[in-house]
């Protein structure tokens, strides 16, 4: 088996039984000697126990998706220190709240996988400007990166400007998904079309200033305010003759 998906896996709320279930589940990884891609979706047993699972991996992973799960700081520390996550090509932490994590953990993980990482998903992580700014130096070292998505987070035009400038040095980056800038919303969280049009125009000017063909996608799926999709088919912002548009 090269690929494994565990989805919506719940265990007993009793502590002793929960620990037993965790041991039973994670011990199975010892048998998966060819595992390359691991996806964990809404798995309740992960919180505080990620290290037990990672220790059972017998080979380096190529893709790791931990989505819509609760993780502690210790979980993220083990994730960044585990030898079997040092060669990741794909990393998806969408739906994992990173707002309360120590600011050095995610940048440390990105620095670790910078030489191999090709796809990075950080959608709906509760990321604010300061959290995104903290990872930009590490992100700019991921020279193999081709896909980057931070949709569903509440970000300002200022940090999106910084992000576009940091990622402009990445030669393989061809698909970029960003949320609707927070300046596009009213104080009540309602999208203001005129403000959004202005933000799009400003983003295009940033792309022009950077001076090479590029396409970015602006989407709010879901909206960071209400959790509902705003655009089913958002239009790209394109400068030059980017063939990926």
């Amino acid at each position: 088996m090269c690929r494994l998906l565990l989805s919506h896996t719940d265990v007993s709320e009793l502590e002793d039984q929960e620990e037993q279930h965790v041991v039973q589940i994670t011990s199975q990884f010892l048998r998966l000697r060819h595992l390359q891609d691991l996806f964990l979706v809404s798995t309740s047993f992960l919180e505080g126990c990620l290290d037990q699972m990672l220790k059972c991996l017998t080979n380096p992973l190529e893709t790791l998706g931990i989505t819509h799960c609760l993780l502690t700081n210790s979980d993220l520390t083990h994730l960044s220190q585990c030898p079997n996550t040092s060669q990741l090509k794909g990393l998806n932490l969408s739906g994992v709240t990173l707002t309360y994590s120590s600011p050095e953990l995610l940048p440390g993980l990105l620095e670790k996988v910078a030489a191999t990482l090709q796809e990075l998903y950080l959608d709906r992580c509760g990321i604010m400007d300061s959290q995104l700014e903290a990872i930009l130096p590490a992100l700019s070292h991921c020279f193999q990166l081709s896909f980057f998505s931070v949709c569903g987070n509440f970000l300002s035009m200022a940090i999106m400007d910084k992000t576009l400038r940091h990622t402009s040095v990445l030669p393989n980056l061809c698909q970029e998904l960003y949320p609707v800038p927070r300046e596009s919303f009213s104080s009540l969280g309602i999208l203001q079309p005129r403000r959004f049009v202005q933000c799009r125009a400003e983003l295009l000017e940033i792309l022009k200033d950077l001076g090479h063909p590029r396409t970015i996608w602006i989407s709010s799926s879901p909206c960071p305010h209400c959790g509902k999709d705003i655009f089913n088919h958002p239009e790209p912002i394109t400068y030059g003759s980017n063939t990926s548009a």
Side-chain angles (χ1 to χ4, degrees), residues 5 11 49 53 77 90 112 146 150 157 159 170 216-217 237:
L5 166 66
V11 298
C49 300
M53 186 206 71
T77 298
K112 177 182 175 182
S146 61
V150 284
M157 279 293 300
I159 194 60
L170 303 180
I216 64 174
W217 296 78
I237 300 175

Side-chain angles (χ1 to χ4, degrees), residues 135-160:
I135 72 170
L136 291 183
L139 187 65
S140 65
H141 295 157
C142 298
F143 293 112
Q144 301 302 317
L145 195 67
S146 61
F147 184 98
F148 175 55
S149 180
V150 284
C151 293
N153 297 296
F154 197 43
L155 304 175
S156 70
M157 279 293 300
I159 194 60
M160 292 177 68

Side-chain angles (χ1 to χ4, degrees), residues 2-239:
C2 296
R3 174 172 293 197
L4 176 65
L5 166 66
L6 291 178
S7 179
H8 297 82
T9 305
D10 294 320
V11 298
S12 172
E13 294 182 358
L14 299 177
E15 184 175 350
D16 56 341
Q17 294 183 18
E18 180 176 305
E19 292 180 359
Q20 182 179 356
H21 282 300
V22 170
V23 172
Q24 291 175 346
I25 293 173
T26 57
S27 63
Q28 299 304 310
F29 287 99
L30 293 171
R31 303 181 180 183
L32 304 178
R33 300 187 180 277
H34 301 284
L35 187 65
Q36 295 179 332
D37 304 321
L38 177 61
F39 304 93
L40 305 169
V41 182
S42 298
T43 50
S44 65
F45 67 87
L46 271 188
E47 185 178 7
C49 300
L50 186 59
D51 61 324
Q52 296 182 39
M53 186 206 71
L54 295 176
K55 289 177 182 178
C56 295
L57 296 175
T58 57
N59 292 304
L61 293 173
E62 290 191 1
T63 305
L64 176 62
I66 302 177
T67 59
H68 306 287
C69 298
L70 295 175
L71 296 181
T72 64
N73 276 351
S74 64
D75 291 326
L76 291 173
T77 298
H78 289 300
L79 182 60
S80 63
Q81 295 176 349
C82 177
N84 287 325
T85 61
S86 62
Q87 301 176 34
L88 290 177
K89 294 181 180 180
L91 176 62
N92 189 344
L93 295 177
S94 296
V96 175
T97 300
L98 299 175
T99 308
Y100 304 108
S101 64
S102 298
E104 73 279 0
L105 294 179
L106 187 55
L109 176 58
L110 293 183
E111 286 284 4
K112 177 182 175 182
V113 300
T116 58
L117 192 65
Q118 298 175 10
E119 297 185 1
L120 177 61
Y121 300 80
L122 297 174
D123 300 331
R124 303 178 299 281
C125 291
I127 292 176
M128 304 289 280
D129 285 9
S130 59
Q131 284 85 28
L132 183 55
E133 186 168 14
I135 72 170
L136 291 183
L139 187 65
S140 65
H141 295 157
C142 298
F143 293 112
Q144 301 302 317
L145 195 67
S146 61
F147 184 98
F148 175 55
S149 180
V150 284
C151 293
N153 297 296
F154 197 43
L155 304 175
S156 70
M157 279 293 300
I159 194 60
M160 292 177 68
D161 184 339
K162 289 183 180 180
T163 303
L164 291 173
R165 296 183 187 281
H166 273 79
T167 54
S168 66
V169 300
L170 303 180
N172 297 312
L173 187 59
C174 58
Q175 295 186 20
E176 305 171 68
L177 282 71
Y178 297 95
V180 174
R182 70 182 184 213
E183 287 84 355
S184 301
F185 297 93
S186 70
S187 59
L188 298 177
I190 300 173
L191 180 67
Q192 304 296 300
R194 289 185 179 179
R195 295 185 189 179
F196 178 55
V197 169
Q198 179 60 36
C199 287
R200 284 179 58 91
E202 292 178 18
L203 290 169
L204 178 58
E205 288 302 315
I206 294 171
L207 298 184
K208 290 180 179 179
D209 184 53
L210 292 172
H212 60 84
R214 192 170 181 180
T215 296
I216 64 174
W217 296 78
I218 304 299
S219 175
S220 187
S221 301
C223 169
H225 293 284
C226 64
K228 298 180 180 179
D229 288 349
I230 293 180
F231 305 113
N232 292 323
H233 303 286
E235 294 184 0
I237 300 175
T238 301
Y239 168 68

